[in-house]
Each structure stands twice: as C-alpha cells, then as structure tokens.
Amino acid sequence: MPNNPHQSPITRLPDHQITRSSITRWLDSATLSPDGKTTTATRLITPNHPFLENNHFLPSALIELMAQAAAAGSILQAQQQNKKIRRGLLAQLHDLQILAQVPINSLLTLTATHEKSFGPLTSAHLQVHIHTTLIAQARMTFHLEFD
C-alpha cells in the first residue's frame, strides 16, 4: 500500500490485456507504480521460447520485449484515465545498449519509465535486469492513437 494517501495502489494488467496475441505476447506480468510513471514487467526466458539461438535470447527479441513492457505501461496509464489505446507504434529507438547476453532460464525484470509526452508521441526510458545486473537499456518513442 502506498505511503501517500493520494496515490493509487499498484495496478496489475490482466493477462488478456497484455499486448499482442499469445504467440507474440511474451510478458509474464506487468504492473504500474502508484504514481503512474514506471511499469515493471517480468519474463522468464524458457528453453522453448521461439527466439533463441545458441541457448541465448536474440537481441532483436530483447528489443521487442522492451517495447512490449512500454506498451503494457501505456495501456495501464490509459486505463487509469478511462481511455483505450486503439493503436501504438514504435516511432524511434535510440541510445540502445545491450550489455550482456540473456541465457535460457533467465528471469528478466523490465522497467519502462515514462519521460514525456507531446501530442500523440510519448517517450520512455527502458532497462532490463537479470537480478541486479543491467542487461540492456534504451529510450523508445511511441505514437499512440486513442479511441
């Protein structure tokens, strides 16, 4: 429970509302911080994941997973404002750093921190950790359309 009575409790995204179809929906969970600024998502990289090569998660798949974490955060933020996102597109990826490979059976913790919005564009800083080790980080800008 938050210490500030004006903040809402952490919101969890129902499994059926995590982005994409089941074949490309990779997040195991996603929650939004009480202030609505930071999304925390998790994913266990299992041996049967379709985007493994030499027992490691592909870097391109890691970028997709980061985008899904940011998308989940946008959905949760929109729900807090009684809005619904019709479509979201990754408009820009910058400052990408992949610092280590992700071996199978790794539990990834992804954070997406909202930085700013301007019209339909919103940007976030993303980080991926295995335990306390930073694996990757980037900034992403999305174009969001609301119903």
Side-chain angles (χ1 to χ4, degrees), residues 7-144:
Q7 290 181 330
S8 62
I10 292 176
T11 306
R12 179 173 163 35
L13 188 65
D15 290 338
H16 69 278
Q17 291 182 348
I18 293 177
T19 59
R20 311 254 181 152
S21 67
S22 62
I23 196 164
T24 59
R25 187 194 78 200
W26 301 340
L27 297 178
D28 294 326
S29 69
T31 58
L32 186 63
S33 64
D35 66 3
K37 299 287 184 193
T38 302
T39 304
T40 302
T42 61
R43 176 60 188 195
L44 177 62
I45 305 302
T46 60
N48 62 347
H49 197 285
F51 293 96
L52 294 174
E53 186 174 275
N54 298 324
N55 293 323
H56 289 88
F57 197 51
L58 292 172
S60 56
L62 186 59
I63 294 168
E64 171 63 22
L65 193 59
M66 293 167 78
Q68 287 190 24
S74 293
I75 291 168
L76 289 168
Q77 287 174 336
Q79 286 176 344
Q80 284 185 338
Q81 300 168 9
N82 293 321
K83 294 181 180 178
K84 184 177 178 185
I85 296 175
R86 180 177 348 124
R87 180 181 13 227
L89 302 169
L90 177 60
Q92 184 179 31
L93 168 67
H94 48 109
D95 301 330
L96 173 66
Q97 295 179 315
I98 297 179
L99 305 168
Q101 291 186 333
V102 177
I104 58 172
N105 297 318
S106 295
L107 178 62
L108 301 179
T109 301
L110 302 98
T111 57
T113 303
H114 179 264
E115 292 184 321
K116 59 185 170 182
S117 294
F118 183 75
L121 299 175
T122 186
S123 65
H125 179 252
L126 292 105
Q127 291 188 325
V128 181
H129 288 87
I130 298 175
H131 303 290
T132 59
T133 303
L134 180 64
I135 300 302
Q137 62 182 352
R139 285 191 159 69
M140 294 183 173
T141 303
F142 298 88
H143 182 274
L144 302 177

